[in-house]
Every structure is written in C-alpha cells, then in structure tokens.
C-alpha cells in the first residue's frame, strides 16, 4: 500500500471536525488497507509508532526536521526557518517547501506505507553519537520521495504533532463499522481496554473479524487501561446507588501503580500506562518479597510514608520519585513509599476481569503476604451510612483522601478503561474561596466572536513558577473588559506575539494566539479549584490536576509596574488554595 493513500485519508480527516464523518472516512480507509499493514496505519493515525505503553516515542527536534525539509526540497535553510517562524508548524512548512520544489529527483519512487513506517522506526531507534546526522539523513531520504501532502504529515508525525483530532474512541467506532457492526462496538472497545493496543485490535479484526477481538485477553507485561470511579457526596447516596451494601476502602493519596509479575520479574506501569519500574526499585523488591504467584497483575496506590511514625505523608512527597533517571537510590531514602494493593486482575495466568469484586479481593489475599512496604487496602463491607461516615473520618485521620466505595454485586467486574458507578469516590471537598486578587500574566488569547469580533475574546492567563522558570496556565479570562480595554489590549499585546506557544509557557490548552509572557493584569476570581487542563502547580494536590481560578474578572488594573516574572507565583496560589480549603467533615 502507498503512503499517499494514508496521506489522502489524513487530508480528508483534517477537513472535518465531525466525529461521524471521521468515522466514515476511517472505516472506508480501513477496508481498503492490507490486513498486514493496518497496525502501522492505525498507530500513525494516532501520531505514534507503537501502542502508548511502548516507551519508544517519535519526537524529532524542530531544527532537525527543518534541516531535512530544506535539504530534500532544495528550498534553502533560511527560507525554511523563516517559514517556520511565520507558520509555527513544520507540517505547513514542509507542505509549502515541497509545493515550490522545482523538479523531482530522477530516481524518486513512490513511498510505500511499510517503507515509511520502517524508516520512522529506524529514526526513533537511533541514538548515541552520530544519531542526529543519521536521523536527518533518513528523514531527507523519505521526504525526497514525498509529495507536498505526504511531506506535511511526515513532518508532523516525526515531530510529535500529528493532532488529527481522531481519538482512540473514533478509531474504535471506525474499526467496528469496517470489520464488524455498530452493535459489536462494545466487544471491540473491551479488547482495546484490556490490551491498550489499538493496532492489535485493528489487526485481529482485519484478519479474524469479531472472533479475533474476542480472543484478546488481559496478558502479563501488557498494561490494561485503568478502571475509574464516579463521584458522590454522601454515604447515603452511595449506599442507595450500590443497592444497600458495598465495600468501602481507604482512598489513598499517591500514585496508582499496575504491577505485572511473571516468574519472579516485576514491571510497574502508571495509570497512563508509562513504565515506572526503574523509578520504584523498592516497590519492585517489595513485590518480589511478598507475592506468592507465578504470574499476576495487581493494582494499588503507592503512598509516601514517614518511616519514623508509619504515617502517610502528602502526595507531593511521592511526586519527587517520578520522572527520575538519576538519584533513584537517594530518592528511595528521602521519600520512602508503601504500596497499598486494592485489586487483582490476573492470577497465575487466569484473567479475573469478569469476576465480581470480592472474588478478586480473595484472589489478592491468597497471593500476597503483606509486610511493612506492601499491604492490602483497608476495607470494610458496610450497609449503614453512619458506619461509612465513621470509616471516612478514620481514613481522613490516617492521612487518606476519603473512601472508595466498590460494588460487591454479581456484576461487579473489573471494567478496564471505564468510569462508572461500580466504584464511587467519596472525598474531602476540594474547593477554596478567593479573598484576594492575583496578578496574572497573559500567555495566549482566543479570537473574539460576535460583539468582540476583531478583538481578543478571552485571554489565557498564567502564574509564574520561579523554581522551574515556567509560566503555568490558571484560567481563561473573558470578563471585566470594557471596549477601551479591549482595544488597548490589541495594541499592548501586538509586540509580544509569537508564532507558537512560548517556550517558557506550560499549557495544555491550544490558544489562537500566543505571547511572550510579559503583560500582567490584576484579576479577581471566585474560587480556586482543581482542573486537569490547567498547569499551575500541576500534580501538587492531585496527580492529574493543576489549579484553576474559577469565574475570573479583570479588575481594570494593568500591572505595568510588574514584569511577567513578578506575577503571582504558582506556589503562592497553591498556598492560597491550601489555606482556604474547606474541609467537609
Ligand atoms: P480519576 O482517577 O477518577 O480520573 P483522579 O486521578 O483525580 O480521578 P481521584 O478522583 O482522586 O483521582 O480518584 C481515583 C484514584 O484514586 C484512582 O485512580 C487511584 O489512583 C486512587 N485510589 C486510592 N485508593 C484507592 C482504592 N482503594 N481503590 C481504587 N483507587 C484508589
């Protein structure tokens, strides 16, 4: 199959934002692909070469891809660099550079999907001395045979910027439509949830149809997608939802770990399926000591502890252990942890995902001999709201976040990758009123609509983190501006415009315009909350959340007496959040 067919599909996907249309486009393409090549096509569509849990990632530096584009298109490095400054997207740069390409090389041959994929693999794998040159060489060779559309997508995928807007759920929709039927969508999704591998699901479907995906099961050393919980705010509500009785467990505040044990070897994966084995050698050793199964997949929360008192410490302590390549040994001593196991997904080769919760708990008890570093979660099966509330207080007193309620009904299976009411979290409330104003930096903006057409509709605001020298987003600010302010903002921000997100800015949001972080505005908000999309003090309170200011309003005061780095710091906002936290007792 030719890579051009895939690029054509991407062009069509890019032209729509409708999930239904994307599904149709993909389904049609999947039917045309060779079954032996569909895996590659699916990974590339996700901007990857392998499933998420494979640590080998694409990610060529911009300056390297620009060199390859300049070389292969003959456009010249300065032309390409200028174009990059203007466009901010190596894909568009490649597209334009190749549109202008005067003549194709004499020996140009059409790119096949397999050759393209294998070259990208070789680029991702090359490391060490001389690898930069090799990467540029391999990429130039690919590009020299590419059309402008192919060059666009190759340049995006290699720099980790694919962003076609196709979620894994849309790919699953399309796979079901292409190879089974809409009614079989659940079976297809289940296969993905237990394998975390879209390429594998696609290949099985293409080769063996529905029977193929039904044969995909949980497997040791292949992480499955985590089961997630819904939230409720009282034990009464929870018990009613659970049919009168359920298991309550301590809700520990740490890092979720999925441990895969096989013949004495242990591997650890995070909730996002990243491999964490090398960062927690003490947990690996603890599991080797305490596990009594030949093979198993167990899940638990890894919590920081004070070894002197045996008490749990705040979550932040364990975050020091994440992402380390060096100093792991020191970190083990400085930030000791304990693993509290709460589920058993596979025992001695047997997939337990379809077993009810208490059977899985029994399986867990049968294969773990707990010690100081690996224990089982505190658990009580209760039917009374008063008892549940008393257990909640105990959990808080012991340094936990609250309780996890778990269904014990016949249908209380492990639903990988799903959020539902089989598990319900009951936590201390995380809200905090704001009494003070803050000074925030403008790092981005969104185009205005309606009455604000031609002006900025809202600004993306950030705090400053002096430790990391980064600006971290905290809210979208759209209120409190009069017409004069709006006009002034256009002028004041014009010199700060940059073509893409400034390198000092941490943002999970895509803004329409980006700025050098300079202009400071005074803002009043209603409260500070947790948010997965803002990056202010990210991970300090909860692993997957930053702080956000809700209902922010510009006070009318431009803080031109302050520079960007003199804005309210992320640490200050965290302190405000913690000081004003309303604890629901
Ligand atoms: P979510 O995981 O629900 O998307 P989140 O990351 O903000 O959201 P919480 O809402 O606080 O986390 O609650 C779920 C998390 O609680 C689990 O992912 C797990 O890491 C943790 N946890 C702690 N104790 C338990 C327990 N006993 N059983 C299950 N999960 C637990």
């Amino acid at each position: 199959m030719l890579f051009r067919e895939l690029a054509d599909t991407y062009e069509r996907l890019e032209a729509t934002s409708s999930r239904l249309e994307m599904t149709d486009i993909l389904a049609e393409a999947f039917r045309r692909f060779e079954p032996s090549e569909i895996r590659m096509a699916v990974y590339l569509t996700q901007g990857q070469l392998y499933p998420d849990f494979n640590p080998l990632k694409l990610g060529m530096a911009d300056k390297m891809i620009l060199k390859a584009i300049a070389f292969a298109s003959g456009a010249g490095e300065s032309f390409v660099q200028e174009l990059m400054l203007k466009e901010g997207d190596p894909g568009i740069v490649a597209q334009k550079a190749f549109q202008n390409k005067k003549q194709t090389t004499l020996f140009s041959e059409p790119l096949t999907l397999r050759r393209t994929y294998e070259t990208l693999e070789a680029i991702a794998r090359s490391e060490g001395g001389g690898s930069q040159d090799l990467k540029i060489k391999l990429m130039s060779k690919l590009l020299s045979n590419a059309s402008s559309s192919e060059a666009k997508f190759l340049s995006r995928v290699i720099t980790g910027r694919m962003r076609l807007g196709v979620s894994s759920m849309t790919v699953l929709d399309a796979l079901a439509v292409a190879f089974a039927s809409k009614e079989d969508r659940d079976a297809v999704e289940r296969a993905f949830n237990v394998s975390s591998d879209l390429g594998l699901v696609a290949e099985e479907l293409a080769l063996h149809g529905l029977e193929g995906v039904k044969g995909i099961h949980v497997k040791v050393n292949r992480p499955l997608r985590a089961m997630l919980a819904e939230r409720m705010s009282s034990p009464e509500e929870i018990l009613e939802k659970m049919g009168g009785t359920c298991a309550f467990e301590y809700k520990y505040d740490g890092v979720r770990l999925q441990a895969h044990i096989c013949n004495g070897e242990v591997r650890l994966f995070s909730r996002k399926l990243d491999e964490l084995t090398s960062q927690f050698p003490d947990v690996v050793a603890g599991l080797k000591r305490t596990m009594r199964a030949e093979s198993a997949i167990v899940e638990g929360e890894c919590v920081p502890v004070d070894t002197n008192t045996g008490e749990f410490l705040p979550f932040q302590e364990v975050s020091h252990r994440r992402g380390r390549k060096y100093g792991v040994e020191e970190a083990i001593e400085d930030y000791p942890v304990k693993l509290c196991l709460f589920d058993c997904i596979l025992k001695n080769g047997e997939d337990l995902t379809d077993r009810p919760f208490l059977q899985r708990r029994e399986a867990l008890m049968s294969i773990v001999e707990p010690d100081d570093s690996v224990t089982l979660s505190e658990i009580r099966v209760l039917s009374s709201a008063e008892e549940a509330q008393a257990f909640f207080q105990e959990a808080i007193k012991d340094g936990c976040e609250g309780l996890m309620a778990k269904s014990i009904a016949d249908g209380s299976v492990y639903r990988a990758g799903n959020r539902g009411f089989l598990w319900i979290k009951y936590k201390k409330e995380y809200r905090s009123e704001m009494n003070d104003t803050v000074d925030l930096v403008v790092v981005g903006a969104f185009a205005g609509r309606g009455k604000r057409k031609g002006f900025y509709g809202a600004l993306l605001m950030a705090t400053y983190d002096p430790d990391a020298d980064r600006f971290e987003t905290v809210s979208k600010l759209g209120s409190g501006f009069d017409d004069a302010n709006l006009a002034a903002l256009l002028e004041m921000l014009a010199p700060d415009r940059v073509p893409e997100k400034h390198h000092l800015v941490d943002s999970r949001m895509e803004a329409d315009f980006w700025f050098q972080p300079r202009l400071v505005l005074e803002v009043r908000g209603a409260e500070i909350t947790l948010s997965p999309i803002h990056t202010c003090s990210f991970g300090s309170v909860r692993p997957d959340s930053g702080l956000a200011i809700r209902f922010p309003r510009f006070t009318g005061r431009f803080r031109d007496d302050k520079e960007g780095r003199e804005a309210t710091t992320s640490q200050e906002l965290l302190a405000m959040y913690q000081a004003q936290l309303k604890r629901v007792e």
Side-chain angles (χ1 to χ4, degrees), residues 257-326:
L257 288 183
Q258 198 181 102
H260 290 236
I261 295 112
C262 189
N263 296 327
E265 287 304 308
V266 175
R267 287 176 71 186
L268 304 175
F269 296 93
S270 75
R271 183 183 145 178
K272 280 163 72 189
L273 313 183
D274 296 324
E275 179 143 13
L276 298 180
T277 313
S278 62
Q279 288 168 39
F280 292 97
D282 46 342
V283 176
V284 170
L287 283 166
K288 284 185 179 170
R289 256 194 332 267
T290 52
M291 291 297 293
R292 302 284 173 266
E294 262 170 36
S295 69
I297 303 177
V298 291
E299 255 196 325
E301 190 86 352
C302 179
V303 215
V305 277
D306 180 334
T307 38
N308 294 313
T309 61
E311 284 176 0
F312 294 132
L313 293 169
F315 156 76
Q316 289 93 301
E317 303 289 325
V318 78
S319 61
H320 296 290
R321 299 281 301 272
R322 296 285 309 271
R324 270 184 191 250
K325 279 205 180 130
Y326 309 103

Side-chain angles (χ1 to χ4, degrees), residues 34 84 135 139 159 207 396 470 499 552 557:
E34 283 290 317
M84 180 67 183
K135 284 177 193 235
M139 197 61 199
T159 52
L207 287 172
I396 302 288
R470 307 282 288 173
R557 186 159 170 219

Side-chain angles (χ1 to χ4, degrees), residues 228-229 249-252 256 271 301 342 401 404 406 419 423 425 427 542 544:
L228 301 172
E249 288 181 28
Y250 272 16
K251 183 174 187 313
Y252 302 93
R256 185 169 183 163
R271 183 183 145 178
E301 190 86 352
F342 55 72
E401 273 191 303
M404 286 293 269
K406 297 185 176 177
R419 189 183 294 284
W423 287 9
K425 52 198 175 193
K427 302 205 272 186
R542 291 289 317 134
D544 294 312

Side-chain angles (χ1 to χ4, degrees), residues 204 276 355 477 480 561:
E204 279 299 320
L276 298 180
R355 301 283 189 84
L477 174 65
D561 53 334

Side-chain angles (χ1 to χ4, degrees), residues 230-474:
E230 284 288 351
R231 175 195 301 259
M232 282 187 147
S233 50
S234 75
E236 287 81 4
E237 249 185 308
I238 293 174
L239 282 168
E240 199 189 321
K241 188 87 191 166
M242 294 287 195
T245 308
C246 66
F248 287 92
E249 288 181 28
Y250 272 16
K251 183 174 187 313
Y252 302 93
D253 192 7
V255 172
R256 185 169 183 163
L257 288 183
Q258 198 181 102
H260 290 236
I261 295 112
C262 189
N263 296 327
E265 287 304 308
V266 175
R267 287 176 71 186
L268 304 175
F269 296 93
S270 75
R271 183 183 145 178
K272 280 163 72 189
L273 313 183
D274 296 324
E275 179 143 13
L276 298 180
T277 313
S278 62
Q279 288 168 39
F280 292 97
D282 46 342
V283 176
V284 170
L287 283 166
K288 284 185 179 170
R289 256 194 332 267
T290 52
M291 291 297 293
R292 302 284 173 266
E294 262 170 36
S295 69
I297 303 177
V298 291
E299 255 196 325
E301 190 86 352
C302 179
V303 215
V305 277
D306 180 334
T307 38
N308 294 313
T309 61
E311 284 176 0
F312 294 132
L313 293 169
F315 156 76
Q316 289 93 301
E317 303 289 325
V318 78
S319 61
H320 296 290
R321 299 281 301 272
R322 296 285 309 271
R324 270 184 191 250
K325 279 205 180 130
Y326 309 103
V328 173
E329 290 303 324
E330 291 79 356
I332 292 176
E333 275 191 27
D334 294 347
Y335 310 105
V337 294
K338 180 170 179 171
L339 181 63
C340 303
L341 294 169
F342 55 72
D343 217 312
C344 180
I345 294 156
L346 179 139
K347 176 184 159 184
N348 291 331
E350 195 187 344
D351 179 350
L352 303 183
T353 48
D354 282 335
R355 301 283 189 84
F357 173 66
L358 288 180
Q359 284 187 25
R360 301 202 305 279
R361 176 82 189 186
E362 256 173 47
L364 187 62
M365 286 160 60
S366 74
I367 56 171
V368 185
E369 223 166 81
D371 68 8
D372 279 352
S373 63
V374 178
T375 58
L376 301 193
S377 58
E378 288 291 326
I379 185 168
R380 267 179 223 170
V381 175
L382 299 172
S383 338
S384 128
E386 289 74 38
E387 283 174 357
Q389 188 58 25
F391 193 39
F392 174 80
Q393 299 299 1
E394 272 179 50
I396 302 288
K397 190 169 70 29
D398 284 346
C400 293
E401 273 191 303
L403 296 177
M404 286 293 269
K406 297 185 176 177
S407 167
I408 54 170
D410 286 348
S412 57
V413 297
Y414 188 96
R415 300 206 63 202
N418 272 278
R419 189 183 294 284
F421 284 97
L422 289 177
W423 287 9
I424 302 174
K425 52 198 175 193
Y426 173 41
K427 302 205 272 186
K428 287 179 290 183
E429 185 87 342
Y430 283 114
R431 286 177 71 221
S432 167
E433 274 168 17
M434 273 181 84
N435 302 319
D436 208 347
T437 58
V438 282
D439 297 325
L440 304 177
V441 194
V442 186
V443 294
F446 303 87
R449 294 199 195 138
K451 266 173 46 189
R452 293 208 176 157
K453 203 160 191 278
F455 296 96
Y456 296 126
L459 305 176
L460 183 59
M461 308 301 291
T463 50
Y464 177 60
D465 176 359
D467 294 342
D469 191 23
R470 307 282 288 173
F471 292 86
E472 302 174 331
T473 74
V474 74

